[in-house]
């Protein structure tokens, strides 16, 4: 379905990004597997793709740094000569109630989870505009739609991603580039495994489908949004949350 296409997935060494990278590759795309610190994990994602007969490369970059994001996109283009799909997924949490939240907790979360998306969109947009074709998929969160106590930094960043998605969708439409956001709910990854048991239980109670989401639940939608079936969908925020945000 995505044969001949080139995808860049940020934060693809683990969790949701890893799952999206593997599924895009299984659909035929060549995949750049970005990571910040987990070199071995990212390499094993790339090896898994190559082992299954695909093409992939693990590429280190801190997406919160504009220059590094630009360098990342350059490397993808040097290797494969194009960039068709950008999945902005790299994210961090630094949770705490507002009264106790440190300035650095705010700055770091905004830098990775919002500015990082701006940086990668900016770097990728030129290649897509030249090709008059492209797909940008931004991973936001139900927390960006509904808020969550203890996450003012994360909620602000994720709500910001929704604004970025809609504004860029309007800018990019004339060049045949679609921009959409996926808002996962409570997905079983490293990010949620560190939560205390009582908070996990509380979150599970708020899910009508009564189970945590799996990486595959999110990855499937990302592949659809990257594919031909989603050509007429842009500027949308689609929740994958077992009904949590309805
Ligand atoms: P995760 O398992 O903690 O993985 C985070 C990924 O982001 C890792 O690959 C990490 O790379 C990468 N990363 C972090 N900072 C980076 C930076 N500055 N530059 C480049 N890469 C960086 O997280 P996840 O649960 O899969 O979450 C993925 C995305 O989904 C995030 O945007 C998150 O906010 C969103 N989300 C998650 C949930 C959930 O329930 N899990 C729900 C809603 C939304 P290293 O391995 O190198 O550190």
């Amino acid at each position: 379905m995505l044969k001949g296409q080139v995808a860049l997935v940020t934060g693809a060494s683990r969790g949701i990004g890893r799952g999206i990278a593997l599924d895009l590759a299984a659909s035929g795309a060549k995949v750049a597997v970005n990571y910040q610190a987990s070199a071995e994990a990212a390499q094993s994602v790339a090896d898994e793709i190559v082992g299954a007969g695909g093409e992939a490369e693990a590429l280190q970059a801190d997406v919160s740094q504009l220059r590094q994001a630009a360098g990342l996109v350059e490397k993808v283009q040097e290797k494969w000569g194009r960039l068709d799909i950008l999945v902005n997924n790299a994210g961090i949490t630094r949770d705490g109630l507002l009264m106790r939240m440190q300035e650095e907790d705010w700055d770091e979360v905004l830098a990775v989870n919002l500015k990082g998306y701006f940086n990668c969109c900016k770097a990728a947009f030129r290649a897509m505009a030249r090709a008059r074709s492209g797909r940008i998929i931004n991973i936001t969160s139900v927390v960006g739609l509904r808020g969550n106590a203890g996450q003012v930094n994360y909620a602000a960043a994720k709500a910001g991603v929704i604004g970025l998605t809609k504004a860029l969708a309007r800018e990019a439409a004339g060049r045949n580039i679609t921009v959409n956001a996926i808002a996962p709910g409570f997905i079983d990854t490293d990010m949620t495994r560190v939560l205390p048991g009582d908070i996990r239980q509380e979150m599970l109670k708020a899910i009508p489908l009564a189970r945590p989401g799996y990486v595959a639940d999110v990855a499937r939608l990302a592949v659809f949004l990257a594919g031909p079936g989603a050509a007429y969908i842009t500027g949308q925020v689609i929740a994958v949350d077992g009904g949590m945000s309805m």
Side-chain angles (χ1 to χ4, degrees):
M1 186 174 82
L2 300 175
K3 211 155 182 50
Q5 300 208 26
V6 174
L8 165 60
V9 184
T10 70
S13 51
R14 298 183 278 124
I16 293 172
R18 175 179 183 276
I20 292 174
L22 292 173
D23 279 13
L24 286 172
S27 296
K30 298 163 185 157
V31 183
V33 177
N34 162 252
Y35 66 98
Q36 184 188 24
S38 309
E40 256 180 53
Q43 190 55 51
S44 83
V45 175
D47 289 347
E48 194 173 331
I49 291 171
V50 172
E55 279 189 53
E57 182 159 343
L59 294 172
Q60 197 281 333
D62 175 352
V63 295
S64 71
Q65 304 298 316
L66 181 63
R67 284 232 196 97
Q68 292 192 37
L72 175 63
V73 168
E74 263 168 42
K75 279 185 204 148
V76 175
Q77 288 184 278
E78 273 164 24
K79 183 163 173 73
W80 287 304
R82 56 192 291 161
L83 177 58
D84 305 282
I85 302 155
L86 167 66
V87 182
N88 278 309
N89 164 82
I92 58 168
T93 48
R94 298 282 182 271
D95 297 350
L97 297 171
L98 175 79
M99 290 298 286
R100 282 193 224 123
M101 188 173 286
Q102 302 297 310
E103 188 183 4
E104 308 82 72
D105 298 331
W106 174 271
D107 288 345
E108 281 178 29
V109 166
L110 270 288
V112 178
N113 297 13
L114 183 55
K115 191 175 177 215
Y117 283 39
F118 163 78
N119 290 343
C120 292
C121 285
K122 195 167 163 61
F125 192 79
R126 195 181 297 271
M128 292 181 177
R130 217 182 294 124
R132 297 196 81 75
S133 158
R135 298 288 166 90
I136 297 176
I137 298 159
N138 294 324
I139 308 299
T140 176
S141 168
V142 288
V143 170
L145 295 167
R146 306 191 337 158
N148 193 26
Q151 291 196 308
V152 291
N153 50 0
Y154 186 79
K158 292 300 188 183
V161 165
I162 292 172
L164 181 157
T165 298
K166 292 182 180 182
L168 185 56
R170 289 183 183 278
E171 285 186 25
R175 278 143 166 149
N176 191 33
I177 300 166
T178 67
V179 190
N180 290 291
I182 299 177
F186 181 76
I187 311 295
D188 186 29
T189 68
D190 290 348
M191 189 177 270
T192 47
R193 272 174 221 139
V194 298
L195 293 170
D198 52 334
I199 293 188
R200 286 176 63 92
Q201 283 313 315
E202 274 309 303
M203 294 188 93
L204 282 172
K205 270 193 234 154
I207 304 172
L209 285 176
R211 68 160 174 88
Y214 303 120
V215 164
D217 294 317
V218 181
R220 251 180 243 128
L221 176 59
V223 171
F224 172 71
L225 289 173
Y232 200 55
I233 300 174
T234 197
Q236 301 305 304
V237 183
I238 305 170
V240 179
D241 65 355
M244 208 175 179
S245 63
M246 74 176 139

